[in-house]
Amino acid sequence: MEAKYDPREIEPKWQRIWEEQRIFYVSEDASKSKYYLLEMFPYPSGRIHMGHVRNYTIGDVVGRYKTMRGFNVIHPMGWDAFGMPAENAAIKARIHPATWTYNNIDQMKAQLKQMGFSYDWSRELATCDVSYYRWEQLMFLKMYERGLAYRAEAYVNWCSTCQTVLANEQVEAGLCWRCSQEVEQKEMSQWFLKITDYADELLEYCDRLSGWPERVLTMQRNWIGKSHGAIIHFPLEDSAEPIKVFTTRQDTVFGATFMSLAVEHPLSLKLCRGRPEEVAVKQFIEKTKRIQRSERTSEFFDKEGVFTGAYCRNPMTGERMPIYVANFVLMEYGTGAVMAVPTHDQRDFEFAQAYNLPLKVVVNPVGGELDAGSMEEAYEEDGILVNSGEFSGMESAAAREAINEYLESKGLGEGSITYRLRDWLISRQRYWGAPIPMIYCDKCGIVPVPERDLPVVLPLDASLTPAGGTPLPTLKEFVETACPECGEDARRETDTMDTFVESSWYFNRYTCPDYQEGPLDKARNDYWMPVDQYIGGIEHAVLHLLYSRFFTKVLRDMGMVSQDEPFVNLLTQGMVCKETLRCLEHGWLDPHDVIEEGADIYGCRKCGSRAEIGRKEKMSKSKGNVVDPGDLIERFGADTVRLFCLFASPPEKDLEWSDRGVEGSARFLNRLWRLVYEEHEKLRSVTPYDGSEPLEGELRALHRKTHQTIKRVTDDIEQRFHFNTAISAVMELVNAIYQFRSENGYGPEAFPVLRLAVDTAVVLNSPMVPHIAEEMWEALGHETSVVQEPWPEWNEEAVAEDMQLFVVQVNGRLRSRIYVSPSASNEDVEKAALSDERIKTFVGDQPVRKVVVVPGRLVNVVV
């Protein structure tokens, strides 16, 4: 063991040993309990960032800890490799997306290995490999057979300049993010997966996911959005066709004074046709279609509309209601038509105020009375019905049931349940994705690709152009094919699948990545699944996690898996944040552009002016507040980076970056290294203390501290994942060892207890800082990897505080420590202090003037 800690030598050494000995490569073992640990796999963007480092370090600690607890731990890694960023980067760099993607995978894999993560690389997969997406295509065909995959018309964000569909995130203020042209809502034929068939089960099982954060479950429940209400028929004045409205507040139907339609509703154009209002309605519809859906539902969005010229009748009052097309009504919510009750719905209230529409109070608060003429906002709570015919005087909840019965008895509507959740639109008019395995024949219609002809391989000879759009429709050799049913000329589907499809089942494929007879080897999948601990960001709370749950249930019903849910426990880690620095001339500054001029004083390297310190925000390239993990590894080593990420904050909280914190972590590792270096020669042949002989005094205290630390660290990892407090406990143990060594002239009789304490400090630290732990473990004479060492158990008797610590001062200066019984009187404590050999030395022949005892804390001998 060298005197100086050098991570540049140690870390590559142990990474090679782990790989050569295949320490983290696992297979099914019926004699051991399995533990499936998984972090959400990354998109291969080119370099790992500190968010990756934190996420994967958290997972690595859990994996190593569970391995030492005797579990058969599977900890795989792969790549979420399809998607638009690869296309955009390929266009910019004039290379193929596949080249860009695989180069990035190689680079990021090397970086992950530098961090010492305990991955089973034999299970590595990339979703852009045909060996992966071929099985996804088979799953799609099976869903199509079951009616779970279908094609229908849907509105999408369409850029006519780029000739492509845009994701909502790619529309900025109504403009295309690439060309800044206006984006329109265009109706196109799209492929959907029928997630709504599983809405009730997805909702029900939210109550069974006890290992998930309640915040995530609430978001999923809200996204599914199950609502109990009624479908009410509002007859049109000049047509037998009614407008059907879904509402959860049928108790307010007597107060409906106008009707609002979504711009996408088929009646929006039909009702105004041939009327004076037709031109204005068409213009309004086109204008609204260019607005993002998320904006239209915002409470801060200006509520606008246009009168269609048509009227319907309130089925309960017979009163005439003008029909408007409104920008805040969405087709996918309810029926796309809203009965507007301005006194009891805030959006309707604002709209009515803007367009001078009538207000009618039909629900009063209990013990109060509303006046429509003086209302400043809608009253949206339940209450007592008024102005509601035979239902007046009823409480809202009872009235809703009674009105449902009335509607059904009169043929005016019926009770209904609806969901906010809509079927999953998976079509993407992009190139870099998994081809949808369908064929279009003029004679036979839509025909699935036969299973024997899978996979439908994405052609790699396509060229992408700066104009955007997918090149697939232009590739004759891909598009042109024969109909599997009639043999005549046909066309392949040129849309590719949403990349969320790939990430909705990858965790299953990890269990059997080499299986070639189908998507999954059920026996192996049954052994490993479900995932015991899943780790990822809160931003995936709805889409990825909900789609993964849906896919698992579909695969279960197909007989491919046995689980109802994919993830038993979920940890959503916080973000990594750092202060921003900004130069008035050069804008946001990254660390390489900054000169540190003093404590919290920074200058711009480009112009020398003072940099403004901004708030701490999520690390972002655009704001320059990023830290390159590679630079930190080069300077401090991976273990220091790991230790800081774990020590600075509990995993579920945001981590605030601190350069001083990183330096502090490095100092602790050097201090631990120095301790082992100074003691390893005399301890390596010593057997750790086993409790067979009684201990007294400082030896007893050090032994107690050792077992207390084992208990604290185990509890912090096992119960809470609070690695910060676990590390703090180990630091306290290291301090106690140093203190024991400095204050006691110890001989060989102390070696077993000291050996146990040092061994314990190394073992407990090993999941957090594995490289340095391995090196110290080897130096202490152990022949196997520390990760193969059983996790230590604490002794309850040793943990018990059967003696109380007092620090002893002479004239206010610390001179010794003593242990006495917790039941000892002040006189007993004073006597023990004056009898201590070190105190006798410092007192000498001087007379003792006074002894002050502070109960439970200290003794001060005044001479």
Side-chain angles (χ1 to χ4, degrees):
M1 185 180 186
E2 300 295 329
K4 183 180 179 182
Y5 167 49
D6 185 359
R8 295 185 189 180
E9 291 290 330
I10 293 169
E11 291 177 356
K13 166 189 169 181
W14 287 102
Q15 289 159 16
R16 285 194 302 272
I17 291 172
W18 295 330
E19 187 66 28
E20 290 167 1
Q21 296 183 5
R22 298 173 66 86
I23 283 180
F24 304 115
Y25 290 50
V26 295
S27 58
E28 299 73 35
D29 185 347
S31 67
K32 299 175 73 175
S33 297
K34 67 91 181 179
Y35 190 87
Y36 191 166
L37 168 70
L38 187 63
E39 304 96 43
M40 295 178 185
F41 63 170
Y43 184 82
S45 57
R47 296 185 66 81
I48 63 172
H49 52 67
M50 288 310 303
H52 290 131
V53 170
R54 188 188 190 200
N55 186 0
Y56 302 151
T57 299
I58 291 168
D60 195 60
V61 173
V62 177
R64 290 174 178 273
Y65 167 77
K66 289 294 184 179
T67 297
M68 298 173 78
R69 292 300 301 264
F71 287 90
N72 192 23
V73 176
I74 180 175
H75 188 196
M77 174 52 69
W79 312 97
D80 191 8
F82 271 141
M84 279 192 64
E87 287 191 42
N88 298 332
I91 291 170
K92 185 176 180 180
R94 297 185 178 181
I95 60 174
H96 195 279
T99 304
W100 185 84
T101 299
Y102 284 108
N103 286 345
N104 288 350
I105 286 174
D106 290 342
Q107 186 172 344
M108 290 181 70
K109 183 175 179 179
Q111 290 178 301
L112 292 177
K113 286 189 172 184
Q114 273 190 305
M115 289 300 303
F117 297 138
S118 56
Y119 295 130
D120 180 350
W121 285 107
S122 71
R123 298 175 184 274
E124 180 185 14
L125 58 81
T127 59
C128 63
D129 286 342
V130 66
S131 61
Y132 180 83
Y133 70 74
R134 64 174 298 186
W135 302 118
E136 186 174 303
Q137 291 175 338
L138 178 62
M139 292 175 184
F140 180 89
L141 294 180
K142 298 292 187 186
M143 291 185 187
Y144 183 74
E145 290 174 7
R146 291 170 168 257
L148 292 173
Y150 66 93
R151 195 165 184 253
E153 297 292 310
Y155 283 93
V156 294
N157 300 314
W158 177 258
C159 176
S160 57
T161 302
C162 297
Q163 288 293 296
T164 187
V165 169
L166 303 176
N168 286 337
E169 295 78 12
Q170 295 165 325
V171 181
E172 300 171 352
L175 304 178
C176 172
W177 68 281
R178 182 189 285 122
C179 69
S180 298
Q181 294 300 306
E182 281 194 351
V183 172
E184 61 181 294
Q185 294 289 302
K186 184 177 181 180
E187 194 171 26
M188 297 177 63
S189 290
Q190 306 281 289
W191 283 98
F192 293 82
L193 298 182
K194 208 167 187 182
I195 190 173
T196 52
D197 275 11
Y198 288 82
D200 277 324
E201 187 181 350
L202 289 167
L203 187 62
E204 176 193 343
Y205 273 70
C206 283
D207 296 334
R208 307 187 189 186
L209 297 174
S210 58
W212 284 41
E214 187 56 38
R215 178 186 176 191
V216 174
L217 294 174
T218 298
M219 292 170 74
Q220 292 216 354
R221 291 186 185 104
N222 291 341
W223 190 265
I224 296 167
K226 186 175 184 179
S227 299
H228 294 264
I231 296 286
I232 303 178
H233 302 169
F234 287 76
L236 287 164
E237 270 197 343
D238 51 1
S239 171
E241 178 185 5
I243 299 178
K244 294 184 178 181
V245 170
F246 174 81
T247 179
T248 59
R249 292 300 306 272
Q250 58 269 38
D251 55 318
T252 66
V253 64
F254 284 84
T257 58
F258 62 96
M259 178 71 64
S260 300
L261 301 179
V263 296
E264 301 88 357
H265 197 290
L267 288 176
S268 293
L269 283 173
K270 184 177 178 181
L271 291 176
C272 69
R273 196 164 292 135
R275 299 179 188 271
E277 293 83 2
E278 183 175 1
V279 173
V281 171
K282 286 183 175 180
Q283 290 175 345
F284 180 79
I285 289 174
E286 291 307 311
K287 170 189 169 184
T288 305
K289 283 183 177 180
R290 290 192 290 268
I291 302 172
Q292 284 183 267
R293 281 170 163 73
S294 58
E295 286 186 54
R296 289 167 59 186
T297 56
S298 169
E299 62 180 295
F300 305 109
F301 185 63
D302 288 335
K303 314 300 186 291
E304 295 180 349
V306 62
F307 180 45
T308 63
Y311 293 83
C312 62
R313 294 280 179 178
N314 186 317
M316 305 299 278
T317 67
E319 293 175 1
R320 202 174 189 224
M321 296 169 53
I323 302 172
Y324 281 75
V325 177
N327 61 4
F328 61 88
V329 182
L330 297 185
M331 190 64 203
E332 53 262 41
Y333 295 154
T335 64
V338 172
M339 67 170 203
V341 185
T343 48
H344 304 295
D345 181 277
Q346 186 61 29
R347 294 185 310 169
D348 297 340
F349 181 84
E350 293 172 14
F351 193 91
Q353 295 286 80
Y355 293 91
N356 197 29
L357 294 165
L359 280 67
K360 180 181 178 182
V361 172
V362 292
V363 178
N364 273 329
V366 176
E369 186 173 342
L370 299 173
D371 173 39
S374 61
M375 291 180 71
E376 296 182 357
E377 63 180 3
Y379 174 73
E380 298 184 319
E381 305 302 318
D382 280 2
I384 306 298
L385 269 65
V386 294
N387 302 319
S388 298
E390 63 188 84
F391 305 101
S392 294
M394 296 181 69
E395 294 183 349
S396 288
R400 286 193 282 270
E401 294 297 323
I403 289 172
N404 274 3
E405 294 176 7
Y406 178 86
L407 292 170
E408 291 178 4
S409 69
K410 301 296 184 181
L412 298 174
E414 63 277 332
S416 180
I417 296 174
T418 191
Y419 300 85
R420 182 176 183 268
L421 180 68
R422 289 294 179 262
D423 284 338
W424 176 9
L425 191 161
I426 66 160
S427 291
R428 295 293 180 269
Q429 289 71 32
R430 307 300 310 177
Y431 163 69
W432 192 236
I436 296 174
M438 302 300 287
I439 291 171
Y440 302 103
C441 173
D442 291 338
K443 180 180 178 181
C444 304
I446 300 175
V447 183
V449 172
E451 291 183 17
R452 65 179 180 275
D453 293 339
L454 294 180
V456 177
V457 179
L458 182 70
L460 297 181
D461 56 352
S463 298
L464 291 107
T465 67
T470 171
L472 290 180
T474 68
L475 298 178
K476 284 188 176 183
E477 60 275 20
F478 176 76
V479 176
E480 295 178 357
T481 187
C483 174
E485 292 188 0
C486 69
E488 295 188 9
D489 291 346
R491 307 173 309 282
R492 288 194 189 280
E493 171 64 77
T494 57
D495 285 356
T496 53
M497 294 193 211
D498 180 5
T499 55
F500 278 116
V501 177
E502 282 88 64
S503 60
S504 293
W505 71 283
Y506 77 105
F507 41 86
N508 283 298
R509 186 65 182 173
Y510 277 145
T511 67
C512 50
D514 56 345
Y515 188 62
Q516 297 301 317
E517 305 304 314
L520 300 170
D521 181 337
K522 192 168 186 296
R524 291 160 70 186
N525 187 263
D526 283 350
Y527 174 81
W528 291 115
M529 285 293 289
V531 174
D532 295 283
Q533 183 65 60
Y534 200 34
I535 303 173
I538 190 69
E539 67 271 18
H540 301 291
V542 174
L543 296 179
H544 164 59
L545 291 170
L546 190 65
Y547 292 155
S548 297
R549 296 180 60 215
F550 162 62
F551 242 77
T552 296
K553 296 176 187 301
V554 171
L555 297 183
R556 175 203 62 196
D557 291 347
M558 291 179 179
M560 293 186 187
V561 304
S562 301
Q563 304 80 40
D564 294 317
E565 290 285 342
F567 314 121
V568 177
N569 297 293
L570 174 68
L571 171 65
T572 53
Q573 90 282 353
M575 299 181 295
V576 181
C577 302
K578 188 177 185 295
E579 64 191 7
T580 56
L581 296 171
R582 187 180 180 90
C583 170
L584 292 178
E585 181 179 350
H586 295 100
W588 301 111
L589 301 176
D590 66 37
H592 298 292
D593 296 328
V594 174
I595 303 171
E596 188 169 359
E597 299 175 345
D600 295 327
I601 302 175
Y602 302 92
C604 173
R605 191 180 297 277
K606 296 176 181 178
C607 65
S609 63
R610 181 69 54 84
E612 294 180 353
I613 301 175
R615 64 179 183 175
K616 292 187 177 181
E617 300 183 44
K618 178 183 178 181
M619 284 189 178
S620 163
K621 287 182 181 179
S622 65
K623 294 192 176 179
N625 63 335
V626 294
V627 175
D628 186 348
D631 292 345
L632 289 174
I633 293 171
E634 178 67 22
R635 183 179 174 191
F636 295 105
D639 281 340
T640 293
V641 179
R642 292 170 61 116
L643 188 67
F644 171 74
C645 287
L646 296 166
F647 185 58
S649 173
E652 72 278 6
K653 303 292 185 182
D654 288 349
L655 183 157
E656 292 191 0
W657 188 262
S658 165
D659 292 335
R660 293 182 181 86
V662 177
E663 292 164 359
S665 296
R667 285 195 298 272
F668 170 69
L669 292 185
N670 276 282
R671 190 164 189 256
L672 178 60
W673 178 271
R674 188 166 62 252
L675 170 65
V676 175
Y677 174 75
E678 292 171 356
E679 299 292 344
H680 78 283
E681 288 292 349
K682 58 175 165 284
L683 295 182
R684 61 184 295 136
S685 60
V686 174
T687 301
Y689 175 69
D690 61 3
S692 58
E693 299 294 330
L695 298 173
E696 299 293 338
E698 298 291 342
L699 280 177
R700 184 183 182 89
L702 180 59
H703 184 247
R704 180 186 304 110
K705 186 66 174 179
T706 300
H707 281 268
Q708 288 175 339
T709 305
I710 295 170
K711 185 178 190 303
R712 279 185 59 189
V713 173
T714 304
D715 287 347
D716 284 340
I717 296 177
E718 185 74 41
Q719 298 177 19
R720 294 175 289 276
F721 287 175
H722 280 193
F723 310 117
N724 56 328
T725 53
I727 293 168
S728 180
V730 179
M731 289 177 173
E732 290 178 18
L733 175 60
V734 171
N735 289 341
I737 297 171
Y738 266 101
Q739 182 178 305
F740 174 84
R741 293 164 70 236
S742 66
E743 296 183 0
N744 296 277
Y746 63 91
E749 73 283 354
F751 287 177
V753 175
L754 186 60
R755 172 65 191 258
L756 178 63
V758 172
D759 271 7
T760 298
V762 172
V763 170
L764 296 182
N765 252 326
S766 66
M768 293 80 159
V769 287
H771 306 90
I772 190 174
E774 291 278 20
E775 190 72 12
M776 293 186 297
W777 191 247
E778 183 182 63
L780 287 165
H782 299 281
E783 297 180 355
T784 59
S785 169
V786 68
V787 78
Q788 296 172 323
E789 182 73 10
W791 188 257
E793 302 284 344
W794 71 86
N795 182 297
E796 288 291 356
E797 291 184 8
V799 167
E801 290 280 4
D802 59 349
M803 300 290 278
Q804 193 167 32
L805 169 67
F806 280 79
V807 297
V808 184
Q809 301 172 338
V810 176
N811 290 341
R813 300 185 67 180
L814 177 64
R815 295 305 185 189
S816 188
R817 290 175 173 81
I818 60 173
Y819 290 88
V820 299
S821 168
S823 61
S825 65
N826 284 358
E827 291 76 13
D828 293 334
V829 174
E830 178 180 331
K831 184 177 180 181
L834 294 174
S835 301
D836 182 77
E837 293 300 324
R838 288 173 61 84
I839 297 302
K840 286 181 181 179
T841 301
F842 284 104
V843 171
D845 296 330
Q846 304 172 83
V848 176
R849 296 167 52 197
K850 181 170 61 172
V851 178
V852 178
V853 178
V854 179
R857 290 178 56 198
L858 65 85
V859 180
N860 186 23
V861 180
V862 181
V863 295

